[in-house]
Amino acid sequence: MLELSLDHCPTYGYFRAQTLEQIMEKVDWMIHHDFLEIQFSGKLPMLVFTEQGWTIERSQIVEELLKEWDAWLRKGVTHADMSYLKERNRGMVLELLETVKRNRASQYVPFLDQWEKIEVKKVREAIRETIAALRSEDGLSSLDGQHELTEFTAPGLEPELLKCRECGERFRFEVVSQNGNRAAQ
């Protein structure tokens, strides 16, 4: 906790007024409703977000990240080690970039420039698109002048990993299925 500075997270100690039994009830509820699952790191069990859990949590994390960037800017920091964002939840990363782009928050370009240098190809492309949009006159154009519909530009239409309530097996709910279901509603 201390090594990763998690004791500075705004939610650190949030449940300190509750008993261990009350906390366990909440964790069990989240596992039962497929927001958390247990994975093992070697022999140690870890609680991790499921895709459904990330769908809910990622907006909160995006807000926390932007508050951190704002604090850096207030302190005059324009160069930061952005490796903490590498290999994070893809949906959260794309929501972060979309939020920056939608808010036309060009003050974050120095952070985006540094982050782009260390990222994997797909995320790097999304970062470049965001930087290009922020630097353009209207704040909306992409790198090539075309704005194509992608998982980046259409939040909520990315493939989701769901769990069948009857058998407990996981299955991938693809964008094609989602479009079909949305059109039918």
Side-chain angles (χ1 to χ4, degrees):
M1 294 276 300
L2 299 177
E3 183 180 313
L4 297 173
S5 299
L6 295 176
D7 57 324
H8 296 292
C9 176
T11 57
Y12 178 76
Y14 185 81
F15 292 110
R16 69 180 160 266
Q18 298 192 6
T19 66
L20 184 57
E21 184 176 298
Q22 291 170 321
I23 294 169
M24 291 299 296
E25 285 177 20
K26 291 178 187 322
V27 170
D28 288 342
W29 184 91
M30 291 180 72
I31 291 171
H32 178 75
H33 288 88
D34 199 34
F35 295 110
L36 293 175
E37 66 183 3
I38 300 171
Q39 291 182 356
F40 287 86
S41 176
K43 293 182 179 181
L44 297 175
M46 297 186 326
L47 284 175
V48 298
F49 287 114
T50 62
E51 285 300 315
Q52 181 174 328
W54 266 114
T55 300
I56 293 168
E57 182 62 18
R58 68 182 172 210
S59 294
Q60 177 67 34
I61 293 174
V62 164
E63 185 178 317
E64 289 174 15
L65 290 170
L66 292 176
K67 284 180 182 178
E68 179 180 48
W69 289 8
D70 288 335
W72 290 349
L73 290 170
R74 281 192 301 277
K75 292 177 183 176
V77 174
T78 57
H79 185 78
D81 179 8
M82 303 305 283
S83 61
Y84 76 105
L85 291 174
K86 189 172 172 78
E87 298 181 20
R88 297 288 291 264
N89 175 272
R90 180 74 51 89
M92 186 274 298
V93 164
L94 296 177
E95 185 171 326
L96 172 62
L97 293 170
E98 184 63 29
T99 301
V100 167
K101 187 173 160 182
R102 184 178 57 250
N103 293 336
R104 297 180 179 176
S106 59
Q107 70 271 24
Y108 300 137
V109 168
F111 301 137
L112 296 172
D113 282 333
Q114 294 160 47
W115 182 16
E116 185 264 333
K117 294 173 187 173
I118 62 163
E119 261 303 349
V120 296
K121 186 178 181 180
K122 276 191 167 187
V123 176
R124 192 169 51 239
E125 290 171 6
I127 294 170
R128 285 179 185 153
E129 179 182 322
T130 302
I131 292 169
L134 293 172
R135 288 182 173 156
S136 71
E137 287 183 6
D138 63 1
L140 298 174
S141 46
S142 65
L143 281 176
D144 58 3
Q146 304 284 326
H147 193 69
E148 60 184 82
L149 188 61
T150 65
E151 67 175 335
F152 175 59
T153 59
L157 289 182
E158 57 192 71
E160 295 182 53
L161 191 62
L162 302 177
K163 185 185 204 179
C164 177
R165 291 197 188 271
E166 292 179 16
C167 69
E169 290 293 315
R170 295 199 177 274
F171 64 95
R172 196 162 183 83
F173 191 48
E174 297 292 335
V175 173
V176 174
S177 302
Q178 293 178 41
N179 282 334
N181 286 344
R182 284 198 168 109
Q185 291 179 350

